[in-house]
Amino acid sequence: GESVGLHLPTLSVQEGDNSIINCAYSNSASDYFIWYKQESGKGPQFIIDIRSNMDKRQGQRVTVLLNKTVKHLSLQIAATQPGDSAVYFCAETNDMRFGAGTRLTVKP
Amino acid sequence: SQTIHQWPATLVQPVGSPLSLECTVEGTSNPNLYWYRQAAGRGLQLLFYSVGIGQISSEVPQNLSASRPQDRQFILSSKKLLLSDSGFYLCAWSVLGTGGRTFGSGTRLTVV
C-alpha cells in the first residue's frame, strides 16, 4: 500500500538556526496531514496539522508547507532550541502507517 | 478531556514467556485503536487496529495478537515471546473522520 516517507533520516542544526524537515507522500488523494514530534523514550506528540485546501499553516515557531503538485510537505522550526531535538514524523491521516522519521539534533 | 493510558512503561521478559500489554482510553466513545511497534532508530510499524469491540485487523503476520474486550480497552498479547519481539510498543487512538492519532507513552519491552 501507499505510505508516507521522509527525505532525510538525520538533521543537525545549530541552536538558534531555522530547521526544515521534509516529507514526501505518495497518495494523491490525501487530504489531511500531521506532523508529530517524538522525544526519546516517549510516544509521538501532535505538533501541527494541515488540510489539503491549504498550502501553509503557522503555529508557535513552527510552519508547515504543503505542495500538492509534487506531493511534498515540510516542517519549518524557527530559532531551533535544544528542546526541539527529537524525531519528527509526518503522517497522512488516511494511512495508518508512518515513515521512518527524521532525527533532529540541535547543537549548542 | 480524552486521555490514553498504557502500561507498564518498561518490561523485561524471558524468551518463551507470555505477554499482555494493556491500553485504555478515557473521555471518548467508539475510538479507533491501534498498536504500533518501533524498533530502535526506526519508524512506527502498525501491528493491529480496531474500529470496534471484537473487531481486530492485523497488518503483519507475527507472534502477537490483539483483543478489544471493551470499547476503550485494547490488549496486545503473546503466548510465547521471541527475542525479535523486543521493541517499543505504542498504543494510539483516533476518532473516525479525524484521522489524527493520539499516542500513549509506550512500553519498552526487552525479551531476554
Side-chain angles (χ1 to χ4, degrees):
Chain A
E2 295 179 305
S3 62
V4 178
L6 274 292
H7 283 310
L8 298 173
T10 61
L11 177 65
S12 183
V13 300
Q14 287 291 140
E15 181 178 357
D17 287 351
N18 296 334
S19 303
I20 300 176
I21 301 171
N22 296 304
C23 181
Y25 63 95
S26 55
N27 185 354
S28 57
S30 301
D31 58 5
Y32 182 44
F33 303 87
I34 298 178
W35 279 100
Y36 291 90
K37 173 185 179 182
Q38 185 180 22
E39 296 178 85
S40 181
K42 298 181 180 179
Q45 290 187 307
F46 172 94
I47 302 174
I48 192 169
D49 59 1
I50 188 168
R51 295 201 174 273
S52 60
N53 60 352
M54 304 170 67
D55 53 21
K56 179 179 181 180
R57 188 166 189 216
Q58 289 184 293
Q60 188 177 17
R61 284 201 305 116
V62 295
T63 301
V64 56
L65 300 177
L66 175 62
N67 185 331
K68 295 180 288 294
T69 302
V70 295
K71 291 183 284 189
H72 177 273
L73 67 159
S74 65
L75 177 70
Q76 300 179 2
I77 305 174
T80 313
Q81 302 168 0
D84 295 325
S85 293
V87 176
Y88 291 82
F89 297 91
C90 66
E92 177 275 308
T93 59
N94 291 325
D95 186 339
M96 292 173 281
R97 300 155 191 82
F98 290 76
T102 294
R103 180 174 298 280
L104 174 66
T105 301
V106 182
K107 296 178 289 186
Chain B
S1 62
Q2 300 94 350
T3 56
I4 180 169
H5 302 279
Q6 188 181 342
W7 68 93
T10 60
L11 190 59
V12 180
Q13 292 283 104
V15 169
S17 64
L19 172 74
S20 181
L21 301 181
E22 189 165 343
C23 173
T24 59
V25 179
E26 295 178 359
T28 188
S29 296
N30 197 29
N32 294 335
L33 297 172
Y34 311 87
W35 277 111
Y36 291 88
R37 177 170 58 200
Q38 187 176 34
R42 298 293 186 94
L44 298 168
Q45 178 187 32
L46 178 65
L47 301 176
F48 301 96
Y49 68 93
S50 172
V51 298
I53 296 174
Q55 301 178 60
I56 309 293
S57 296
S58 175
E59 285 293 300
V60 293
Q62 59 209 315
N63 185 41
L64 302 168
S65 63
S67 62
R68 186 171 177 173
Q70 300 180 43
D71 181 43
R72 290 169 289 179
Q73 183 185 30
F74 205 23
I75 298 173
L76 183 68
S77 304
S78 174
K79 292 182 179 178
K80 289 185 177 182
L81 284 169
L82 306 172
L83 287 174
S84 57
D85 291 324
S86 294
F88 190 49
Y89 289 83
L90 286 155
C91 180
W93 71 274
S94 71
V95 175
L96 185 64
T98 65
R101 283 166 282 288
T102 300
F103 288 85
S105 53
T107 295
R108 175 78 57 193
L109 172 66
T110 303
V111 182
V112 296

